[in-house]
Amino acid sequence: MSDLEVAPTVALAFAVFAASTSAVLVRWSTAPSSVAAFYRVLFTTAMVAPVAFLWHREEFARLSRRDLGFAAVAGVALAIHFAAWFESLNYTSVAASVTIVQGQPVFVALGAGLLLGERISRETVLGIAVAIGGAAVMSLGGAGTAPLPDATLYGNSLALLGAITVAGYVLTGRSVRQRVSLFPYVTVVYTACALTLCVLVGVQDHDYVAYPAREWLLFFAMAVGPGVFGHTVVNWVLKHLESVVVSVAWLGEPVGATILALVLLAEVPDAVTVVGGLVVLAGIYVTTIERERRRKPAE
């Protein structure tokens, strides 16, 4: 197996771990959800944009209106995802929220077949089904106490909206990243995302700056960990791996988030949640192995 094959897989695993820290950071923050989401994306943009303009300045001038438009649409979808998912963590447990939002492979698989022409084998479908089945099992377990037990249905519904919108984000990235380099692409996406969230903060009449130092540190941590090392690395991976494989691997996030919630938030998962997490990992393994098997004849 060549380095080109191994590197995206390793990078994807690293990105999933980095993304797993997001839910705990959001739960620690007392700022409004849209404000936390806005500064996470704004700080991430501030870190990737200088690299894009220093190394890829000429590529910005060559961006077609079509690619620019699709990247902006991806940014709006990502903004809706963040706003809905961050808010869901105020109403339901970390494990339930992160697990439901990772139901997005269903929508990615449908979109990849209809819009991108990606072939989805029966084995890949099996891997998706196993992973989503494990995610469903996790959501049935008592993984910690929800912040508002009487509003968990609302929180879970917000997480489902986050799943649908992040699927659109993944599909768009898979298409545009075939033609556009990583840093120009994420700069456009994150800028559109930050602008959308900025408007949302204003519409909700939240304060933009009146937050203690602890909150600003949390905003920065969200940008560095889940932002730069999570989503940005995933956008690099999307050029090398199929969108279905990437989205199913993202199902590892509930496992990591549940473990972190146990250690840092004292949200104790029960046996059902643990079993569900193991099933999720099995689904990721089946999907990844099937992709490698299909690539070997071409080699």
Side-chain angles (χ1 to χ4, degrees):
M1 187 177 297
S2 67
D3 290 341
L4 184 60
E5 290 178 272
V6 175
T9 307
V10 173
L12 182 58
F14 177 78
V16 169
F17 171 76
S20 298
T21 66
S22 183
V24 172
L25 294 171
V26 173
R27 181 65 70 80
W28 276 342
S29 175
T30 58
S33 300
S34 57
V35 173
F38 167 58
Y39 281 113
R40 164 179 165 165
V41 179
L42 181 65
F43 290 165
T44 303
T45 307
M47 285 183 269
V48 301
V51 177
F53 285 106
L54 285 174
W55 292 353
H56 304 277
R57 184 175 303 176
E58 294 180 356
E59 188 169 346
F60 280 101
R62 298 196 304 268
L63 279 176
S64 67
R65 291 184 179 180
R66 179 175 179 272
D67 287 341
L68 191 63
F70 275 116
V73 168
V76 173
L78 185 62
I80 298 172
H81 160 71
F82 279 138
W85 178 52
F86 277 34
E87 185 69 8
S88 76
L89 288 164
N90 292 324
Y91 299 94
T92 190
S93 69
V94 167
S97 175
V98 178
T99 298
I100 292 171
V101 84
Q102 290 305 335
Q104 41 85 15
V106 173
F107 306 104
V108 169
L110 292 174
L114 295 173
L115 303 176
L116 303 183
E118 292 185 5
R119 178 179 173 272
I120 303 175
S121 68
R122 286 176 296 181
E123 290 82 0
T124 300
V125 172
L126 174 62
I128 292 173
V130 170
I132 292 177
V137 171
M138 284 187 71
S139 68
L140 295 175
T145 303
L148 295 175
D150 294 335
T152 54
L153 180 59
Y154 176 63
N156 292 343
S157 299
L158 288 173
L160 180 61
L161 174 60
I164 295 172
T165 50
V166 81
Y169 164 68
V170 170
L171 285 169
T172 305
R174 174 64 178 169
S175 177
V176 178
R177 278 284 289 121
Q178 304 307 305
R179 301 178 297 277
V180 181
S181 298
L182 172 64
F183 282 98
Y185 172 71
V186 296
T187 298
V188 175
V189 170
Y190 294 164
T191 299
C193 182
L195 289 173
T196 303
L197 289 169
C198 183
V199 171
L200 180 61
V201 171
V203 168
Q204 294 177 337
D205 200 27
H206 294 312
D207 199 299
Y208 281 96
V209 295
Y211 300 100
R214 176 181 180 276
E215 292 297 323
W216 292 103
L217 288 174
L218 287 171
F219 299 157
F220 182 74
M222 293 177 201
V224 173
V228 173
F229 293 118
H231 278 265
T232 301
V233 172
V234 165
N235 275 296
W236 176 81
V237 171
L238 280 168
K239 185 174 182 178
H240 305 285
L241 299 179
E242 293 178 358
S243 56
V244 173
V245 174
V246 173
S247 63
V248 173
W250 249 348
L251 283 170
E253 185 180 347
V255 180
T258 300
I259 294 172
L260 290 174
L262 167 64
V263 175
L264 301 175
L265 300 176
E267 289 193 0
V268 182
D270 59 11
V272 175
T273 302
V274 173
V275 170
L278 294 175
V279 175
V280 168
L281 293 177
I284 294 171
Y285 175 80
V286 169
T287 304
T288 305
I289 291 300
E290 167 59 14
R291 174 188 173 274
E292 296 298 336
R293 185 189 68 79
R294 284 163 45 204
R295 288 175 61 91
K296 284 182 179 179
E299 294 174 6

